[in-house]
Amino acid sequence: MSNPRKIRILVAKPGLDGHDRGAKVVARALSDAGYEVVYTGLHQTPEMIAAAAVQESVDAVGLSIMSGAHMTLFPAVIDALKARGAGDVLVFGGGIVPDDDLAPLRAIGVAAIFKPGATTQEIVDWVEATIRPKLAS
Amino acid sequence: MSTRAARILAGDQRTGARLMRDLDDGLPEAIEVQKALFPSTGRAFVLGVTGNPGAGKSTVVDVLIERYRRQGKRVGVVAVDPTSPFSGGAILGDRIRMQRHATDDGVFIRSLATRGHLGGLSRSTGDVALVLDAMGYDIVIIETVGVGQDEIEVVGQADTTVVVTVPGLGDEIQAIKAGILEIADVLVVNKSDREGADNSVRHLITMLELRGHDATPVEIVKTVATSHPAQGIDDLILAIERHHARGSSASDAAARKKKRARAQLGDVLHDRLRRAADAALAAHPDLVEQVASRQLDPYSAADTIARTLLKP
Ligand SMILES: Nc1nc2c(ncn2[C@@H]2O[C@H](COP(=O)(O)OP(=O)(O)OP(=O)(O)O)[C@@H](O)[C@H]2O)c(=O)[nH]1
Ligand SMILES: [Mg+2]
C-alpha cells in the first residue's frame, strides 16, 4: 500500500529584514511538489518558529535568512526546537551564507543550506532524499 | 489508558500535534487513541468561522483569540486551506495572521489542508477539534476555506457559526445567500472601514427578513479587524454569546448534541464504507473488465460488490 503520510514543511523568515520574496518562492515550489507548506511570514523569532513547528507537527523547518544573521538564527531555532522536545525536526535554510560558515552550521545540526543560486528543484530533490525515507517507517 | 492519551489529556502539545498528524494521515492506531479520548471531550465551545475568500476570517480569528485570552480562556484553532487538485500540495497561510499568539501556551493553532475533501473542511477537521477539546482548550475555533455556497460542513461541527462577508460584494452576496446565509448564526460585515458597509448591512437585513417570521434571529456585526484596536469585536463576542445562550436551554442543547453526534457518526460510517467499497472494488478487476467490455452494466456489478460488503 502507498504511504499515507503527507510531507509537511514550515517555511519561515526569521529576523528583522524586510521582504519574503525568496521564502514565498520556496513555499510555492514545495507545495507544487505536493507537500503541505505552513507559511508563517516575516519577522519570526526562533521561539515563534519552534512553537509553530511543534503545533503543526512538521517534518522540517525551512528558513530564509538574507540578513547575515545566520550564525545566530540557525542555532537559536535548533535550540528552541530541542527545548520543546522537537529536536527531530530537520532545519534547513537558504540565503547568503559564506562558505566558511557552512561547516560550523552543519556541525550544530543544520541539515542543508541552499545558496541563492540553488534551484527549487534542488530543494525538492533534497526533501525526497532526506525526508521521504523517514516517513516510510 | 495509553500513555499517548494520558499525555494529551494533560495538555501536552507535542503529543497532541502528532496525534493530529496521524489522524490527518488516516493511521488506524490514531483512532484507538481517539476512542480513549472521547469520554473526556464535549467540554469545549466550538466556534465555526466561514465566509468569502479573503474576507478577513483569519484576521477576525486572530482578534477573537486575543479577546478570549484576556478573558482567561484557552483557545484552540483549526484553520483549513485548500489542497491543490493538481499537485496535491497546499500552502497553509492562515497562521500568518495569528502568529503573535504562537508562543502563548494557552493558544494552539493547527493548519490543515482539505486533501480533496469537499465541504470547506478536511476529513480530519472534526477529529483534530476533538483532540483540542481533549487537551483542555475552552474554545475551539474552526476556520474553513474561503467558501462558495456548498461548503458548509462546519455547521455540523460548530456550536455557533459566524459568516464573514465584506462590503461591496453586491451580486456575490446574492450568489452566496442561498447557502451561506442560511447557516449563519452571526453575520459579520468585516472591512467596514470600506465604503458600502451600511449598504451591505441593510442588504443582509432584507435578505434575512425574506426568511419569514419564525426564522431564528441572526445578529449582524460590523467589524474592522485590522484597526488598532480592532473595531466591533466586543459586539461580535457578545453576539456569539447571545446566540450560544439562546441555544443553551436544556432541550436545545440536547437537540444540538444529538445533531452533532449524528453528523459525527455519519462521517465515520461513510468514511469506513467508502474505504471498504474502494477495497472491494480493487479486489474485483474482473468486474471492472466486464463493465469495460460492456458484458456487464455498472449497476449489476455494484450490486455484486455491495453484497460482498454487507456480508459479515
Ligand atoms: N481594510 C481592511 N482590511 C482587512 C480587514 N480585515 C482583514 N483585512 C485584510 O484582508 C486580507 C485578507 O485577510 P485574511 O484574514 O487573510 O482573510 P481570510 O478570509 O482568512 O482569507 P482566506 O483564508 O485566504 O480565505 C489581509 O490583507 C488583511 O489584512 C479589515 O477590517 N479592513
Ligand atoms: Mg484565512
Side-chain angles (χ1 to χ4, degrees):
Chain A
M1 235 192 87
S2 73
N3 187 350
R5 290 286 193 193
K6 186 74 100 171
I7 292 177
R8 287 172 67 90
I9 299 175
L10 185 131
V11 173
K13 177 95 179 71
L16 299 174
D17 54 317
H19 72 78
D20 59 350
R21 224 173 303 131
K24 279 183 175 153
V25 168
V26 170
R28 162 70 50 201
L30 293 173
S31 94
D32 285 346
Y35 314 140
E36 289 179 358
V37 182
V38 179
Y39 185 63
T40 57
L42 284 166
H43 306 318
Q44 301 291 294
T45 66
E47 279 301 322
M48 291 164 89
I49 292 168
V54 166
Q55 292 176 2
E56 301 287 357
S57 58
V58 292
D59 301 297
V61 169
L63 304 178
S64 163
I65 304 179
M66 302 304 235
S67 58
H70 49 274
M71 294 309 280
T72 51
L73 288 173
F74 275 115
V77 169
I78 287 173
D79 288 346
L81 283 168
K82 282 185 186 153
R84 288 172 187 267
D88 57 326
V89 174
L90 292 182
V91 176
F92 68 99
I96 304 161
V97 176
D99 287 344
D100 285 350
D101 292 342
L102 292 176
L105 287 175
R106 294 247 168 75
I108 59 146
V110 179
I113 305 254
F114 297 93
K115 299 238 191 150
T119 63
T120 52
Q121 186 59 45
E122 284 173 52
I123 305 178
V124 172
D125 290 344
W126 175 80
V127 170
E128 288 301 318
T130 316
I131 297 174
R132 180 77 67 194
K134 290 184 175 220
L135 293 184
S137 57
Chain B
M1 181 180 302
S2 72
T3 45
R4 231 178 153 189
R7 281 203 195 126
I8 288 166
L9 290 176
D12 182 67
Q13 291 209 350
R14 179 100 174 117
T15 313
R18 283 191 164 163
L19 178 62
M20 292 172 188
R21 173 101 182 250
D22 290 350
L23 288 164
D24 210 17
D25 290 341
L27 301 196
E29 55 267 35
I31 298 300
E32 295 307 312
V33 184
Q34 289 297 83
K35 287 181 186 172
L37 295 179
F38 190 79
S40 310
T41 59
R43 291 183 292 216
F45 170 65
V46 182
L47 178 68
V49 178
T50 186
N52 311 86
K57 297 179 290 297
S58 302
T59 315
V60 168
V61 170
D62 171 67
V63 188
L64 285 174
I65 296 172
E66 186 199 32
R67 298 302 159 99
Y68 284 132
R69 287 300 289 147
R70 255 194 253 160
Q71 295 178 8
K73 293 182 174 130
R74 305 178 72 227
V75 186
V77 177
V78 190
V80 189
D81 270 320
T83 294
S84 157
F86 305 107
S87 67
I91 293 193
L92 309 175
D94 291 321
R95 223 195 144 87
I96 298 175
R97 318 257 175 244
M98 314 171 195
Q99 262 306 78
R100 63 177 160 144
H101 305 293
T103 57
D104 177 349
D105 277 341
V107 178
F108 190 115
I109 300 164
R110 177 58 169 226
S111 313
L112 295 174
T114 53
R115 298 194 181 180
H117 188 70
L118 303 175
L121 303 176
S122 70
R123 190 167 285 121
S124 61
T125 301
D127 275 323
V128 170
L130 207 70
V131 176
L132 289 168
D133 185 343
M135 289 172 79
Y137 291 96
D138 303 300
I139 298 186
V140 174
I141 304 179
I142 299 176
E143 178 187 338
T144 75
V145 302
V147 289
Q149 49 180 330
D150 301 324
E151 293 148 319
I152 54 171
E153 201 183 5
V154 70
V155 181
Q157 316 246 1
D159 294 302
T160 298
T161 301
V162 172
V163 174
V164 183
T165 66
V166 294
L169 283 181
D171 289 347
E172 274 181 62
I173 290 210
Q174 290 287 0
I176 63 166
K177 73 175 175 195
I180 282 297
L181 218 53
E182 278 159 33
I183 65 161
D185 298 315
V186 177
L187 272 166
V188 170
V189 177
N190 188 41
K191 308 198 187 185
S192 285
D193 48 329
R194 288 195 187 163
E195 214 165 308
D198 290 324
N199 262 336
S200 290
V201 170
R202 272 194 295 277
H203 192 77
L204 289 170
I205 290 172
T206 310
M207 287 185 342
L208 287 172
E209 281 167 358
L210 292 175
R211 300 177 314 154
H213 290 298
D214 48 352
T216 45
V218 173
E219 288 187 52
I220 304 173
V221 183
K222 284 194 291 182
T223 59
V224 184
T226 42
S227 69
H228 300 283
Q231 286 166 37
I233 299 299
D234 292 330
D235 293 338
L236 174 55
I237 292 212
L238 287 173
I240 291 167
E241 270 169 19
R242 278 191 289 265
H243 172 265
H244 193 46
R246 273 200 294 278
S248 61
S249 73
S251 65
D252 283 350
R256 198 175 51 233
K257 268 190 193 149
K258 224 182 260 177
K259 199 171 122 198
R260 236 209 272 172
R262 195 172 203 295
Q264 208 173 5
L265 183 53
D267 282 350
V268 175
L269 198 56
H270 293 160
D271 201 44
R272 294 231 173 136
L273 289 174
R274 195 177 34 75
R275 278 173 210 239
D278 287 345
L281 180 59
H284 284 89
D286 50 320
L287 293 179
V288 174
E289 205 119 325
Q290 288 173 34
V291 174
S293 62
R294 291 207 145 41
Q295 283 169 276
L296 184 67
D297 66 86
Y299 314 100
S300 308
D303 283 342
T304 306
I305 294 178
R307 269 195 295 276
T308 71
L309 275 184
L310 297 176
K311 252 186 239 143

